[in-house]
Amino acid sequence: MSRPDSVWRMIAVLGSAALISGVLLGYFHDLTATPIAQASARRLSESLREMMPSFSNDPLTDAVGACVDGDSLRIYPCMDDGSLVGAAVESISHNGFGGDIRVLVCFTPDGAVAGFRVIEHSETPGLGAKMEDWFSGEPRRSAIVGSGGGGNLKVSADGGSVDAITGATITSRAFVEAVNRACSVFNRYRNEQAEYYS
Amino acid sequence: MNKIINFCIFAALSYSEMKRRTFSPGGIHPPQLKSTAGSRIIAVDAPVSIVLPLGQHIGRGAIPVVGKGDRVEAGQPVAVAGPDGVSAAVHTPFSGRVSAIGQKRDSRGLPVESVSIDVEPGQSVADVDRTLADVGPVGLGDVVKAASDAGIVGLGGAAFPTAFKIGGCNGLAIDTVVINGAECEPVLTCDDAMMRVHPDEIVAGTRLIKSAVGATRVIIGVELNKPEAIFRLQEASAAHGDVSVVGLQTKYPQGGERQLVQAVTGRYIAQGCLPMTVGVVVQNVSTARALYRAMAFGEPLVNRIVTVAGEAIGRPGNYLVPIGMSVAELLGQAGADLDRIDKLVAGGPMMGRVIEYIDGPVTKSMSAVLALSGNDAFRRRVEPCVRCGRCVDVCPNVLEPYLIATYGRLGRVDDAAEAGALMCMECGSCSYVCPSSRPITDMIRVAKYLIRKSRK
Amino acid sequence: MSKLNIILNGLINENPTFVLLLGMCPTLGTTASAMTGMSMGLATMCVLICSNCAVSSIKSIVPAKVRIPVYIVVIATFVTILQLVLKAYMPALDAALGIFIPLIVVNCILLGRAEAFASRNNVVDSILDGLGIGLGFSMALTMLGGLRELLGAGTVFGMMVYPDSFAPLVFVLAPGAFIVLGMMIALLNRIRKRC
Amino acid sequence: MLTYISIVVTAIFVNNIVFAQFLGICPFIGVSRNMSSAVGMGLAVTFVMALSTSVTWILQTCILHPFGLDYMQTIAFILVIAALVQMLEIVLRKIHPVLYASLGVYLPLITTNCAVLGVALITVQHSMPFLQSLVHAVATALGFMMALVLFAGIRRQLDLVDVPGPMRGVPIALICAGLLAMAFMGFAGMKF
Amino acid sequence: MKTLVISQSPHIQSPRTTSDAMRHVVVALLPALAVGVWRFGVSAAAVVAVAALSCLASEWLIARFVMGRRVAFFGWAPLVTGLLLGMNLPSGIPLWAVVIGSLFAIGVGKMAFGGLGCNIFNPALVGRVFLLLSFPALMTSWPVVGDGCLSWADAVTAPTPLMLVKQGVVPDNQMVIGELVGNVGGSLGEVGAIAILLGLVYLMMFRIVTWHIPVSIILSVGVVSWLSGGNPLFDIVSGGLMLGAVFMATDYVTSPMTRRGQLLYGVMIGVITVVIRRWGVYPEGVSFAILIMNGATPLINRYVRPRPRRCAEGRCV
Ligand SMILES: Cc1cc2nc3c(=O)[nH]c(=O)nc-3n(C[C@H](O)[C@H](O)[C@H](O)COP(=O)(O)O)c2cc1C
Ligand SMILES: Cc1cc2nc3c(=O)[nH]c(=O)nc-3n(C[C@H](O)[C@H](O)[C@H](O)COP(=O)(O)O)c2cc1C
Ligand SMILES: Cc1cc2nc3c(=O)[nH]c(=O)nc-3n(C[C@H](O)[C@H](O)[C@H](O)COP(=O)(O)O)c2cc1C
Ligand SMILES: Cc1cc2nc3c(=O)[nH]c(=O)nc-3n(C[C@H](O)[C@H](O)[C@H](O)CO)c2cc1C
Ligand code: SF4
Ligand code: SF4
Ligand code: SF4
Ligand code: SF4
Ligand code: FES
């Protein structure tokens, strides 16, 4: 580099670098905005399709919010021919070991749990992180799925019927808490619906 | 009988009070091994020849004043103190003829400038008993001159020229003379013998030093494992209000001057300071006695008491030995079985130096010849330091011996200096207690050597 | 240096993880499994190739004094693009690597190669260097991830090798990252001293 | 108040940036050889983290987020941090040469330290209020300094013993870090 | 005349050796071990035996084949490590886990640093915490006392007193007495505080350890427990605190050198222990506390050094 570096040259180079970078990033942002938005929606609707009987509406657009204890949970109702075939509640517990645990819980119209998916968590690999596999395995699954909408599931350590993950009671409690909250939200939703229609 | 009863009462009364007197922190309790305690002082038979090294003291070697072939009289100086003062004259204990002047191996096996003398037959080694002469008030100059003329060096081990030490007190505010009768080293009993046999002369000597340096009191510190010595000294000093004798807890290194001064005066000498800076001068009991003999009778330092001990020694005991006699001859007269000796130590087992050349001469500072046999002569296998902290606990100079030793081993000179390597007095307490038998003191010596070398 | 040598250099002689000890944070933070380790390595490699290429092509017009800021802008741009692409098309991977994707920006492998190689060599060589170093990094991360996963979960790339009830969990947790990497470097030290 | 105590304890002990989050490992390994550089680096990081987290917080809440530019986070933050460090260096040299002499040498190293950028990103992700972000940043930096200082002590100790050849240096340091991380897991999941 | 041995002073050595100290520790551990075997039966003996053997074997194998040192199979230090590791485990733990734990304790906790005296962290605790983090389920199922069971499969498990406290039970005197005599669940060596105290008395009699570390730990646990509203007596006698304070925190290699340093170390262990017990997820924190303070020991050694007294005379110029 034999030419002397004048201040203007420096500013020009830096400025154009920033400009090019900004343009590039703007372009890529626009390019990926839709896929990014779709990415999360896709996961949700895929989960719903797996756990629910067939439905014809778009639960994501029909979603409603419901407040419990300061959290706003989303309810995704699934309709077929205008009648409710089930609904999913995206529930959360703040009492996980490593932070929040988000669970999608599906219900039959009469309030029984139809299925669940862990959406997000930051539990310890090998311990709490096993929760989805653990609770999907028998006999844990049958202790949760089909249970009534009372929302009072408990882990075995607290005298309940759901076996906790060995060594991760905290995660298990939080998971069950999230399911329970989903139950109570769904029950409220169901009652409101019943009132509305009656 | 009366004396014995008195002694018992004295011992009982003093013991509890005296046991508290010691230094802190640190110190160890090695086995006493003082099997020669209470023995008579035995004068050896005169040898046929002697070798007088000219550098038996700390400082510059003495300058010979005789020539090869000269005839010398017993007590005549063969060499005088070198010019800078840190030096001491050397006298011949016997009449005889100078057979050689030149390099001779000393007991360490190192060649040193020496005067060799063929001793005329028919002489004997004797400590002439003399009646206590009253030496009037003396000045500093008189004592320095007497010590210098008599070639007196510190007999407590370091062999520092006494004239120079006392002369150095000139103009300093010295209020206390501390006399070191601790004899804290295991095995050694030569000072004990001196205190038991010549308490009056020791007390007289201490008072000379006192008046020379202008002090107001003399404190003689003796470990409680020498009750008879304490008793004798107490008797001898009863008439002198300015001299007190205190018993000290038996703990090594009670005789280190820093430790002794703390124990008897309560004054703590900070690191890097000398006793003088707290107004104290320290002298060994035998040094005090030698000083008295020099002042009162003009006697030079030509003999010393040497403890000869060890399993392989047939007649262990305290021997009055002329300076210059060979160690081999001394061992022979003490009935040593040379074949059973694996290691010879000049001095006590804690600080003594090994004797590598058995035909080397006894010197002024050689307080003992200790013969070790079998397992005693060998160190245990060195194991890894387990950081037990015992060395730290026992170091009287409040150092971290394991750390300095490690720095020494790794050659980390600056770290070693920063950790205070130069404060180490090489008392050996740390090596003694180390359960892993680590040669801590050796490695500290390496560190000190490296530091001194790097500063040159 | 032949083209092949440039690549091999990055893989072995100047392996960023085992030899240069660069980029320690992603090395430790994303290797709980072979899959995440490899993904992180490849993601870094993509950015490295792009940034080396870009730096090498603009090297003659950038004044020395603003060199570093410009390189940072270049690298950050590619990292952000990567981030957006991952979010859009591989959201699960994006979630697994988390904060370590944006942190590629401060991975000194990138700045280091931009400085030490790309700003002094032609575009093709720079791309090859990016490929070599990137592959070296990916290889190291995959090995580390594979080993940790094997020890700590009994699987490799998710395939069971032995039942996970026998697997010491520590190896997939934070301490395992440090310990396995330390042991691997020690092992390599030992092998290299022997040769 | 409890929130702040909780943030501080969590950032220093529970989620220690080095032992639990794997950020700032390079300076952790590189600058923990002796105590004075450990403390110097620690202080410099504390300073820069506090400053950069404040600035990036403002940048995020006042500019990036309102204008929908969240995707520019990474590039904006790293440029802000780089510029800040540069400015800090210049200012420090002018107004406090003594402090500059002790901290200045560590400043350039900090630009490319992922801990600083990492903390800025994490605080924004957790959408903490400003003061909490600041406390979080300072506590994180203190956790970093604690790790550095503990390590400076450990490495000094390791210099005194015969660590086997292949383990010497970085490997044994990593293993010590691993064992310390194990010890600090005792604080895991701590809640107040 | 033989050739004379040449060495520097001192020429005598104290008869106490490092392996003597380790041997005394083994003896001092016996009462607590006996209580463990008595309460938990043969499986407890098997766990300790396997831990001791595999520690000895790991040390020998690594020294011999990895480091190329010629060493004897038996050593008192690895035996102490093995015994302590074994005594820190639940009696029902499968033996393969004990072997893995021993290998990690010796391999990573000790030999990686260069062997005896070189390690920073207490090897037995490294092994224990490794197992605790690796196999949380195995490490937290505590067989019921007095079972004397021969097989592992059908052992009845129950929570330890500290786990009960974590679940909200308020400790009473009955639990304190249970801890004292070993009538509770827990690691097989930690039940029976009295037996452990017996060991402490023995160790202090032979001057293997001083009071500083155990007493400062126990006192600070009491004080912090009281301040934080716990039951001080219960906190002191429960869990592995006694075992840790007497046998593990006192390990020479990993504890501070000076008395003042040891007091600081002990107090910090006590504080951290109670903090973890109160607010952490683990019912017991003493292992973590000791390991953390092991890590801080080099710092303590550096800054809490023996202090030479300053001269009070002030006469020097
Ligand atoms: C590093 C680490 C990670 C942990 N991860 C989890 C976790 O993900 N979920 C959990 O519930 N507990 C976790 N724990 C806590 C303990 O495993 C658990 O709370 C405690 O041992 C209680 O045991 P229990 O589940 O058998 O009642 C973790 C602890 C540590 C140290
Ligand atoms: C560790 C150690 C122990 C000592 N023990 C004695 C002793 O027991 N008796 C003694 O007179 N001097 C002993 N000394 C020497 C004294 O410190 C001091 O030098 C001596 O008493 C001074 O008197 P002096 O010049 O008359 O020899 C010892 C020195 C050291 C370093
Ligand atoms: C963030 C960071 C970046 C560093 N970058 C370099 C570097 O580019 N070159 C380098 O020699 N050392 C780098 N180092 C290492 C330290 O500066 C290292 O301590 C210093 O080079 C002193 O080297 P020495 O220990 O070999 O004397 C870096 C350290 C950190 C924390
Ligand atoms: C008083 C004392 C306590 C000890 N405690 C332990 C201990 O808790 N864990 C251990 O592995 N070794 C212990 N040891 C043995 C030994 O110090 C240990 O193996 C070293 O840590 C290995 O370098 C102890 C030894 C002694 C003398
Ligand atoms: S030899 Fe030195 S370091 Fe050792 S105890 Fe004596 S003075 Fe202290
Ligand atoms: S006494 Fe020995 S083993 Fe103990 S700390 Fe000192 S050097 Fe180490
Ligand atoms: S630039 Fe980053 S990744 Fe690289 S050495 Fe530095 S801190 Fe580590
Ligand atoms: S010089 Fe004197 S007053 Fe000063 S520290 Fe030394 S002994 Fe004390
Ligand atoms: S500090 Fe180096 S990668 Fe994080």
Side-chain angles (χ1 to χ4, degrees):
Chain A
M1 237 165 282
S2 52
R3 276 169 292 175
D5 302 335
S6 73
V7 174
W8 290 115
R9 206 175 113 84
M10 282 195 249
I11 292 176
V13 169
L14 255 181
S16 41
L19 198 71
I20 294 172
S21 150
V23 169
L24 257 178
L25 286 186
Y27 173 69
F28 269 90
H29 178 247
D30 288 348
L31 212 62
T32 54
T34 334
I36 289 178
Q38 281 170 351
S40 51
R42 201 168 49 229
R43 266 192 78 206
L44 205 63
S45 48
E46 270 170 13
S47 301
L48 288 177
R49 294 233 173 271
E50 276 170 33
M51 289 188 286
M52 288 286 175
S54 64
F55 51 86
S56 54
N57 68 325
D58 178 5
L60 270 64
T61 48
D62 296 343
V64 292
C67 276
V68 246
D69 306 334
D71 286 316
S72 169
L73 307 187
R74 295 193 76 71
I75 305 168
Y76 305 103
C78 301
M79 313 284 213
D80 197 27
D81 286 345
S83 68
L84 195 70
V85 294
V89 179
E90 191 183 333
S91 181
I92 186 169
S93 163
H94 303 296
N95 295 317
F97 184 80
D100 293 349
I101 296 177
R102 283 181 182 277
V103 189
L104 186 73
V105 188
C106 297
F107 293 92
T108 58
D110 54 350
V113 176
F116 50 83
R117 264 300 125 78
V118 177
I119 306 174
E120 189 188 323
H121 72 87
S122 40
E123 305 297 284
T124 316
L127 269 180
K130 292 194 297 201
M131 77 185 114
E132 177 143 16
D133 294 342
W134 174 267
F135 290 110
S136 305
E138 295 300 340
R140 278 83 58 183
R141 186 181 152 80
S142 25
I144 302 170
V145 170
S147 68
N152 46 16
L153 285 171
K154 275 186 186 160
V155 290
S156 43
D158 303 335
S161 53
V162 186
D163 288 339
I165 310 169
T166 30
T169 312
I170 299 170
T171 309
S172 311
R173 276 202 191 103
F175 173 81
V176 169
E177 185 199 2
V179 174
N180 285 339
R181 293 178 86 181
C183 288
S184 63
V185 164
F186 180 71
N187 276 341
R188 231 170 53 207
Y189 171 77
R190 206 165 50 128
N191 293 341
E192 280 166 13
Q193 293 283 309
E195 258 167 49
Y196 180 78
Y197 285 112
S198 64
Chain B
M1 191 63 206
N2 213 6
K3 273 189 181 172
I4 294 173
I5 293 170
N6 273 351
F7 171 72
C8 292
I9 295 170
F10 150 78
L13 283 181
S14 329
Y15 186 75
S16 55
E17 191 264 336
M18 287 176 164
K19 195 160 161 78
R20 291 200 322 268
R21 284 195 194 253
T22 186
F23 60 95
S24 81
I28 56 172
H29 299 275
Q32 292 293 305
L33 308 172
K34 304 218 185 218
S35 55
T36 52
S39 62
R40 274 185 325 114
I41 301 174
I42 307 160
V44 295
D45 297 334
V48 293
S49 68
I50 55 174
V51 174
L52 298 168
L54 299 180
Q56 301 182 31
H57 45 264
I58 287 185
R60 193 120 355 142
I63 297 160
V65 290
V66 292
K68 186 173 173 188
D70 288 359
R71 205 196 97 85
V72 290
E73 272 303 324
Q76 177 189 329
V78 297
V80 295
D84 63 355
V86 194
S87 184
V90 178
H91 302 71
T92 167
F94 302 110
S95 308
R97 193 166 297 279
V98 176
S99 61
I101 296 180
Q103 304 251 304
K104 284 267 176 182
R105 287 164 74 191
D106 69 2
S107 61
R108 284 173 299 170
L110 303 177
V112 289
E113 201 64 18
S114 312
V115 174
S116 311
I117 293 170
D118 289 334
V119 176
E120 289 169 7
Q123 303 180 74
S124 67
V125 184
D127 206 357
V128 186
D129 258 331
R130 303 189 199 244
T131 43
L132 204 62
D134 203 11
V135 187
V138 289
L140 186 77
D142 304 328
V143 175
V144 169
K145 176 158 191 327
S148 176
D149 288 347
I152 296 175
V153 300
L155 298 175
F160 191 77
T162 306
F164 192 74
K165 192 196 249 183
I166 293 184
C169 296
N170 195 5
L172 296 178
I174 305 285
D175 61 359
T176 307
V177 174
V178 171
I179 297 298
N180 195 342
E183 197 159 54
C184 56
E185 277 260 13
V187 178
L188 301 196
T189 55
C190 54
D191 282 348
D192 182 23
M194 182 64 88
M195 290 184 281
R196 286 186 293 110
V197 177
H198 302 295
D200 302 313
E201 298 184 13
I202 292 172
V203 170
T206 65
R207 302 189 67 233
L208 288 177
I209 303 171
K210 186 199 99 171
S211 57
V213 300
T216 53
R217 59 174 177 163
V218 176
I219 307 177
I220 306 177
V222 186
E223 276 188 352
L224 283 172
N225 60 356
K226 295 178 270 292
E228 193 191 340
I230 299 178
F231 181 64
R232 298 257 173 258
L233 284 169
Q234 223 142 28
E235 256 185 352
S237 62
H240 308 288
D242 54 351
V243 179
S244 50
V245 181
V246 299
L248 304 168
Q249 189 185 320
T250 304
K251 178 165 113 182
Y252 180 84
Q254 191 65 262
E257 57 189 15
R258 192 184 289 271
Q259 287 68 36
L260 182 68
V261 169
Q262 190 195 351
V264 302
T265 67
R267 295 182 195 170
Y268 182 80
I269 305 173
Q271 284 190 352
C273 298
L274 291 171
M276 321 289 177
T277 53
V278 296
V280 175
V281 63
V282 184
Q283 290 284 308
N284 172 261
V285 279
S286 304
T287 315
R289 191 248 179 178
L291 207 56
Y292 164 74
R293 300 282 284 208
M295 280 293 287
F297 315 114
E299 241 182 55
L301 181 62
V302 290
N303 301 330
R304 72 154 298 145
I305 304 175
V306 180
T307 304
V308 184
E311 253 177 60
I313 305 293
R315 293 181 293 280
N318 282 304
Y319 289 87
L320 184 68
V321 183
I323 308 298
M325 177 165 143
S326 87
V327 172
E329 169 122 32
L330 173 59
L331 284 171
Q333 295 201 19
D337 176 357
L338 292 191
D339 289 332
R340 280 181 56 209
I341 299 177
D342 289 305
K343 184 179 190 181
L344 279 172
V345 178
M350 292 302 298
M351 293 196 71
R353 241 206 280 276
V354 285
I355 295 174
E356 296 176 32
Y357 179 58
I358 193 173
D359 292 319
V362 170
T363 56
K364 294 176 185 174
S365 59
M366 195 183 285
S367 48
V369 175
L370 169 59
L372 300 172
S373 318
N375 277 346
D376 292 347
F378 298 90
R379 289 187 178 174
R380 278 198 304 263
R381 209 181 70 212
V382 175
E383 289 179 62
C385 169
V386 291
R387 291 183 246 159
C388 64
R390 288 198 208 282
C391 54
V392 180
D393 287 347
V394 300
C395 177
N397 281 0
V398 210
L399 301 169
E400 293 167 285
Y402 78 98
L403 192 61
I404 305 175
T406 308
Y407 288 145
R409 184 168 63 89
L410 301 176
R412 288 168 59 174
V413 180
D414 294 338
D415 292 320
E418 199 258 336
L422 294 180
M423 302 294 169
C424 169
M425 60 180 171
E426 301 177 20
C427 70
S429 302
C430 48
S431 295
Y432 174 81
V433 292
C434 178
S436 290
S437 311
R438 300 194 63 76
I440 311 174
T441 317
D442 295 1
M443 295 190 279
I444 294 179
R445 288 190 186 100
V446 171
K448 288 168 78 170
Y449 168 77
L450 292 176
I451 293 170
R452 297 218 170 93
K453 200 173 82 172
S454 75
R455 289 195 179 161
K456 246 172 222 159
Chain C
M1 222 193 303
S2 80
K3 305 288 173 211
L4 188 64
N5 275 352
I6 297 180
I7 297 183
L8 285 182
N9 180 50
L11 263 170
I12 298 160
N13 284 352
E14 286 190 33
N15 185 294
T17 305
F18 295 130
V19 182
L20 303 181
L21 301 168
L22 295 179
M24 283 291 159
C25 304
T27 304
L28 294 165
T30 63
T31 51
S33 71
M35 197 61 209
T36 49
M38 192 176 79
S39 314
M40 184 69 203
L42 294 178
T44 311
M45 184 174 82
C46 293
V47 177
L48 184 57
I49 292 176
C50 296
S51 71
N52 261 9
C53 171
V55 165
S56 170
S57 22
I58 59 171
K59 63 176 185 280
S60 54
I61 51 172
V62 179
K65 276 200 182 139
V66 291
R67 204 172 74 240
I68 300 287
V70 169
Y71 295 167
I72 291 180
V73 171
V74 168
I75 294 170
T77 308
F78 287 119
V79 169
T80 310
I81 291 174
L82 175 79
Q83 218 176 339
L84 291 171
V85 170
L86 282 184
K87 266 201 180 34
Y89 303 108
M90 296 177 228
L93 188 60
D94 180 64
L97 298 180
I99 195 172
F100 288 102
I101 291 291
L103 285 182
I104 295 176
V105 172
V106 282
N107 187 327
C108 62
I109 297 176
L110 287 120
L111 206 56
R113 290 329 279 183
E115 270 275 81
F117 199 95
S119 62
R120 292 173 199 166
N121 289 283
N122 64 38
V123 177
V124 177
D125 283 358
S126 300
I127 291 177
L128 288 178
D129 177 69
L131 189 65
I133 295 275
L135 280 178
F137 191 57
S138 308
M139 183 187 73
L141 261 60
T142 313
M143 275 166 65
L144 188 59
L147 200 55
R148 285 180 66 192
E149 189 185 341
L150 176 67
L151 289 172
T155 59
V156 174
F157 282 107
M159 285 173 297
M160 190 182 99
V161 178
Y162 61 96
D164 72 343
S165 54
F166 293 100
L169 196 60
V170 163
F171 289 111
V172 292
L173 305 181
F178 290 105
I179 291 169
V180 174
L181 181 60
M183 286 299 187
M184 277 176 85
I185 296 176
L187 191 70
L188 278 160
N189 279 349
R190 199 173 162 152
I191 292 169
R192 267 195 302 170
K193 297 266 159 59
R194 281 260 176 88
C195 306
Chain D
M1 196 59 213
L2 204 63
T3 325
Y4 290 103
I5 294 178
S6 171
I7 288 178
V8 170
V9 172
T10 307
I12 296 182
F13 296 107
V14 184
N15 287 335
N16 184 282
I17 185 150
V18 174
F19 298 135
Q21 310 208 54
F22 305 112
L23 295 179
I25 306 295
C26 308
F28 173 67
I29 299 286
V31 192
S32 61
R33 285 211 164 274
N34 67 61
M35 190 59 67
S36 58
S37 54
V39 173
M41 184 72 180
L43 288 176
V45 166
T46 312
F47 213 60
V48 172
M49 256 188 206
L51 209 61
S52 63
T53 306
S54 314
V55 175
T56 52
W57 190 91
I58 296 170
L59 183 69
Q60 171 73 18
T61 24
C62 301
I63 300 174
L64 296 182
H65 195 63
F67 292 96
L69 294 172
D70 297 72
Y71 65 94
M72 296 281 272
Q73 229 181 37
T74 311
I75 190 164
F77 282 17
I78 186 67
L79 286 177
V80 162
I81 292 172
L84 264 179
V85 174
Q86 276 292 311
M87 260 156 49
L88 196 65
E89 211 183 333
I90 295 168
V91 171
L92 207 60
R93 195 182 335 205
K94 282 257 160 57
I95 62 169
H96 207 313
V98 180
L99 198 62
Y100 177 76
S102 51
L103 297 189
V105 288
Y106 302 106
L107 287 177
L109 296 181
I110 291 173
T111 318
T112 53
N113 174 325
C114 46
V116 176
L117 181 61
V119 168
L121 290 171
I122 288 172
T123 35
V124 166
Q125 264 177 15
H126 287 202
S127 48
M128 293 184 191
F130 181 77
L131 203 57
Q132 285 186 18
S133 302
L134 189 61
V135 171
H136 175 258
V138 171
T140 303
L142 290 181
F144 180 68
M145 183 143 108
M146 179 191 72
L148 275 187
V149 167
L150 274 181
F151 237 63
I154 289 178
R155 294 184 90 166
R156 188 183 96 116
Q157 172 72 57
L158 289 175
D159 284 345
L160 299 178
V161 299
D162 298 318
V163 176
M167 301 292 308
R168 224 166 275 161
V170 173
I172 197 67
L174 284 170
I175 284 178
C176 278
L179 296 180
L180 260 183
M182 245 164 67
F184 272 87
M185 284 212 145
F187 292 116
M190 196 169 265
K191 295 225 169 68
F192 296 92
Chain E
M1 178 92 206
K2 305 185 203 173
T3 18
L4 292 174
V5 176
I6 291 167
S7 76
Q8 297 212 312
S9 66
H11 307 283
I12 47 176
Q13 286 181 280
S14 148
R16 316 170 48 116
T17 63
T18 305
S19 27
D20 283 349
M22 306 286 173
R23 212 182 54 228
H24 282 302
V25 176
V26 172
V27 175
L29 277 171
L30 292 179
L33 186 57
V35 172
V37 174
W38 169 51
R39 304 307 311 187
F40 295 112
V42 182
S43 59
V47 166
V48 174
V50 168
L53 259 178
S54 39
C55 278
L56 284 166
S58 311
E59 171 132 346
W60 184 75
L61 289 171
I62 294 172
R64 181 75 190 75
F65 295 106
V66 182
M67 302 165 83
R69 296 182 184 168
R70 302 211 146 265
V71 287
F73 178 79
F74 182 79
W76 288 101
L79 181 66
V80 172
T81 303
L83 288 181
L84 277 167
L85 175 60
M87 291 173 70
N88 264 290
L89 302 175
S91 62
I93 190 169
L95 298 179
W96 58 262
V98 180
V99 175
I100 296 182
S102 307
L103 188 63
F104 191 87
I106 294 288
V108 177
K110 181 172 171 189
M111 300 313 269
F113 291 83
L116 180 67
C118 302
N119 49 317
I120 303 284
F121 300 95
N122 187 324
L125 283 176
V126 166
R128 179 199 147 91
V129 169
F130 168 79
L131 287 174
L132 180 59
L133 295 173
S134 292
F135 305 107
L138 299 179
M139 288 292 289
T140 44
S141 35
W142 310 99
V144 169
V145 146
D147 233 18
C149 51
L150 271 167
S151 75
W152 287 268
D154 51 23
V156 187
T157 62
T160 64
L162 274 173
M163 287 165 79
L164 291 174
V165 170
K166 199 97 226 172
Q167 288 160 18
V169 176
V170 177
D172 56 14
N173 288 340
Q174 209 53 43
M175 283 162 80
V176 172
I177 293 169
E179 291 278 6
L180 280 174
V181 299
N183 200 10
V184 292
S187 291
L188 61 92
E190 75 186 31
V191 298
I194 291 179
I196 298 173
L197 279 178
L198 216 63
L200 176 63
V201 170
Y202 176 89
L203 287 182
M204 284 177 56
M205 231 163 60
F206 283 91
R207 294 176 197 273
I208 306 298
V209 303
T210 57
W211 59 269
H212 301 76
I213 292 176
V215 170
S216 57
I217 293 179
I218 289 169
L219 280 186
S220 67
V221 164
V223 170
V224 181
S225 163
W226 178 69
L227 286 178
S228 64
N231 177 341
L233 201 57
F234 175 75
D235 265 325
I236 288 171
V237 294
S238 60
L241 187 91
M242 281 290 182
L243 190 67
V246 173
F247 291 104
M248 326 261 306
T250 49
D251 176 20
Y252 295 150
V253 181
T254 54
S255 61
M257 290 276 193
T258 61
R259 301 281 173 246
R260 283 181 307 133
Q262 291 173 353
L263 292 176
L264 176 64
Y265 166 87
V267 168
M268 287 306 296
I269 289 176
V271 172
I272 297 173
T273 302
V274 180
V275 166
I276 292 177
R277 281 187 183 180
R278 282 285 170 290
W279 292 289
V281 290
Y282 285 105
E284 173 58 306
V286 71
S287 323
F288 295 105
I290 296 178
L291 279 181
I292 290 172
M293 290 314 291
N294 287 164
T297 292
L299 273 187
I300 297 180
N301 279 339
R302 168 137 189 209
Y303 290 105
V304 188
R305 304 172 73 168
R307 268 192 309 216
R309 195 132 52 94
R310 292 190 59 81
C311 165
E313 296 292 307
R315 285 167 54 155
C316 341
V317 272

